[in-house]
Structures are given as structure tokens and as C-alpha cells.
Amino acid sequence: MKNIIVILGPTGVGKTKASVELAKKIDGEVINADSVQIYKKLNIGSSKTTKKEMDGIRHYLFDIKEPNEFYTIYDYQQDVRSLISKIEKRGKKVIIVGGTGLYIKAALYDYRLSKENKKVDLSSYTNEEIYNMIKKINVESFVDINNRVRLERCYNRLINNNNSYMGKDNLLYDVDLIGLTTQRDNLYNIINKRVDKMFDDGLVDEVNNLKPYYKKSHVLNSAIGYKEFIPYFNNEIDLDDVKENIKKNSRHFAKRQYTFFNNQFDCIKWFNVNYLDFTKTIDKVYNYINRSGDK
């Protein structure tokens, strides 16, 4: 069995439950790979893993930053590589779980990044304006003008003179990449129900408490589950519209996740989740990672 297991997949598919159940079977500890669950106070909207769900398994990189703090891919890379070393020295298996594919790539592949020491607040700029600012710095930069997160990341990387090297196919660790999936209609139904539950659990109150952070928080202005409230604050839409926008954006995000995983990881072993008997899914994953021929 390999020392590092990565569990990835689209939002809502069941990665958290799978990581905990697998950790029990292989004496593992879990490292978060969700870029929103890094932040304190963003609990309901991020479907953050609760203490109850952790079920006694040690978890890392949850609630380590305030909503208005700066946390980069470089920071994540350094934190995860340090944790891998510490966990392995104690004889434990490492389970990395989450849906932020770029985090996983940066941590485990030969991504040579430099620390970003400054960050510009771009919330008042349109996508087109940021795109033009990028082109003024480096006309050869290519980034999708419709991808707000990538635009802001690209601009801030450029102003930090971050000439990163990304050896995307050079995996630095001995890893099993496990993908969880289900039929698209079923996934969309799960996503819709999960958003309904967020509102039932108090998402509106959580976001109202976070309003003082919005002006200087990149994550609140970009993360699904939080950014949709901005037009509501401006009295442009009502809460029913907010809910529907979160559902729509979550479904679209799930599609983008599949595209990223399939394009960026060429060695994923995909498992269809059995929601009627989740134990069977865990047993299949366990048998796969414990297959003969591996140490």
C-alpha cells in the first residue's frame, strides 16, 4: 500500500465520508484539499467537515486562516509537504481529500512556486479590466477572461514576479489517486439538496455575520456559497435567487472539476459511489489500494 492516498471528485459526491472511513481502515490521517475550508467562520457554505464527521481521525488544514487573510497555492504546497513528512515519520498513512485540483497538483507534483508577498484587491475591477491589466504586464499570458478566480490569481502572480515552473506530469510522491463519481443527474440532485440543507442550517445567518469581512476578503468574493450573496446585499435579488444561483454555480463547478481532474491527472482510479451501501464503496477502494504488487 502506498503512503499517500488522494481522494478527489466533484462537490457533494461523498469525499469526506470516504476519507474518514478509509482512514479508520489504514491508520491514516487526513489533509484538507478544499481551498474554502482553509478559512475560519466559513462553515455552512463550504460544507466544512465537522468534528462529528471527523470521528476521532486527526485532520489538518482546516480553520487556519481568517476570512480576510492571504493564503496562496505556495502556502498550501509548503504546508502539505511539511505535513506529509511529519505524518509519515509517525508511521501513519496520508489521506489528502478535497475538490481543489490545483492545490493537489501543486502539493504533489513538481510545481516550483515562489512566495507571493503582496496582493491587490481587484474586487472593484471587471473581468475585462483585469484581463487588460494582465496583458499590459505580459502580453503572452493566457487566461480565460470569464474565469474570475484565475484572472485574479494570474494578475497577482505577475505583480509578484512569480515565474513559476509547473512540471505537471512529474509526480514527486508515491500516490494512489482515487476518484469518486456518480451519475450526473444523481450528483445534481445531491448538490441541490445540499444547498437546501445549507439554508435550513443557517447559511443566511452565517453570511450576515461575515459581512464585515467581504470588503477585503478574496475568498468571500469568489467562493461558491458566499459570492452569490453580494447582489443580495445590494438589494438586487432576493434569497430565493441566491439559493438558485448557488445551486447553478455548484453544478457548473462540478462539471469544471471533472474536466480539470481528467485533463490534469492521468492515473485516477474512478469508483462509482454506492449511496445505498457506502461500505461497499469503501471496501472496493481499500481492495484497490491494498492490491498485490504494491508495498
Side-chain angles (χ1 to χ4, degrees):
M1 183 183 297
K2 297 178 180 179
N3 283 339
I4 301 175
I5 312 298
V6 176
I7 300 177
L8 48 76
T11 183
V13 77
K15 300 183 294 294
T16 295
K17 184 176 181 180
S19 66
V20 171
E21 294 305 313
L22 190 63
K24 294 176 185 177
K25 294 177 74 71
I26 67 173
D27 193 21
E29 297 180 353
V30 176
I31 299 175
N32 168 47
D34 183 302
S35 61
V36 184
Q37 296 191 23
I38 292 285
Y39 293 91
K40 301 175 183 178
K41 303 179 179 69
L42 279 67
N43 301 323
I44 299 173
S46 70
S47 296
K48 186 177 292 174
T49 307
T50 64
K51 289 291 184 183
K52 182 178 181 181
E53 289 172 328
M54 291 178 184
D55 201 13
I57 299 298
R58 185 174 290 185
H59 283 64
Y60 302 91
L61 300 187
F62 290 88
D63 294 329
I64 63 170
K65 291 292 178 180
E66 294 293 338
N68 57 347
E69 286 189 285
F70 192 33
Y71 189 81
T72 68
I73 297 172
Y74 171 86
D75 295 322
Y76 182 80
Q77 180 189 74
Q78 300 304 304
D79 287 344
V80 170
R81 292 180 179 179
S82 175
L83 283 169
I84 288 173
S85 177
K86 291 175 182 177
I87 294 170
E88 288 184 337
K89 283 180 180 177
R90 291 190 287 105
K92 303 285 187 177
K93 299 295 185 183
V94 177
I95 301 176
I96 300 175
V97 58
T100 305
L102 194 57
Y103 270 25
I104 297 169
K105 288 285 290 190
L108 301 180
Y109 287 71
D110 189 16
Y111 273 38
R112 300 172 197 172
L113 306 172
S114 58
K115 188 171 182 60
E116 297 176 14
N117 295 311
K118 57 184 177 180
K119 186 172 188 295
V120 175
D121 181 5
L122 298 168
S123 58
S124 63
Y125 293 88
T126 66
N127 285 21
E128 184 177 4
E129 287 171 334
I130 301 172
Y131 182 83
N132 290 334
M133 289 155 58
I134 289 170
K135 290 298 183 181
K136 286 182 180 179
I137 299 173
N138 184 354
V139 70
E140 295 182 356
S141 291
F142 175 78
V143 62
D144 183 0
I145 195 172
N146 296 311
N147 191 322
R148 180 76 185 193
V149 174
R150 294 285 177 85
L151 283 169
E152 294 194 13
R153 184 181 296 138
C154 180
Y155 180 76
N156 277 292
R157 186 169 62 243
L158 287 171
I159 65 170
N160 280 279
N161 296 314
N162 191 340
N163 298 313
S164 305
Y165 167 76
M166 297 186 178
K168 74 172 189 176
D169 296 321
N170 187 8
L171 188 60
L172 300 180
Y173 298 89
D174 194 23
V175 177
D176 263 330
L177 290 164
I178 305 299
L180 299 184
T181 188
T182 186
Q183 294 294 322
R184 180 169 295 183
D185 288 346
N186 188 44
L187 179 63
Y188 288 176
N189 185 48
I190 291 170
I191 288 172
N192 291 338
K193 288 182 177 179
R194 187 165 79 158
V195 174
D196 287 334
K197 187 175 185 300
M198 288 177 183
F199 277 77
D200 291 341
D201 289 346
L203 178 59
V204 176
D205 289 338
E206 176 175 284
V207 170
N208 280 327
N209 289 332
L210 288 166
K211 281 180 72 173
Y213 291 98
Y214 265 85
K215 188 174 181 180
K216 295 185 178 181
S217 172
H218 170 73
V219 66
L220 289 173
N221 283 275
S222 61
I224 297 170
Y226 297 97
K227 67 178 182 178
E228 292 82 4
F229 281 89
I230 296 173
Y232 170 72
F233 295 152
N234 297 330
N235 297 314
E236 297 169 3
I237 61 175
D238 61 24
L239 284 175
D240 287 337
D241 292 326
V242 173
K243 181 187 289 188
E244 289 307 310
N245 288 341
I246 294 175
K247 290 179 179 180
K248 178 186 67 176
N249 289 339
S250 296
R251 296 192 299 267
H252 290 170
F253 179 55
K255 290 174 64 176
R256 294 197 303 272
Q257 286 176 300
Y258 274 126
T259 299
F260 185 92
F261 296 146
N262 287 319
N263 288 343
Q264 295 293 322
F265 301 101
D266 59 2
C267 50
I268 300 174
K269 175 65 175 178
W270 288 98
F271 292 86
N272 283 297
V273 178
N274 184 336
Y275 294 101
L276 297 178
D277 190 349
F278 200 80
T279 301
K280 290 183 178 179
T281 301
I282 299 302
D283 288 343
K284 288 181 179 179
V285 172
Y286 177 76
N287 289 336
Y288 173 75
I289 65 175
N290 203 37
R291 61 197 182 280
S292 61
D294 284 337
K295 294 181 181 180

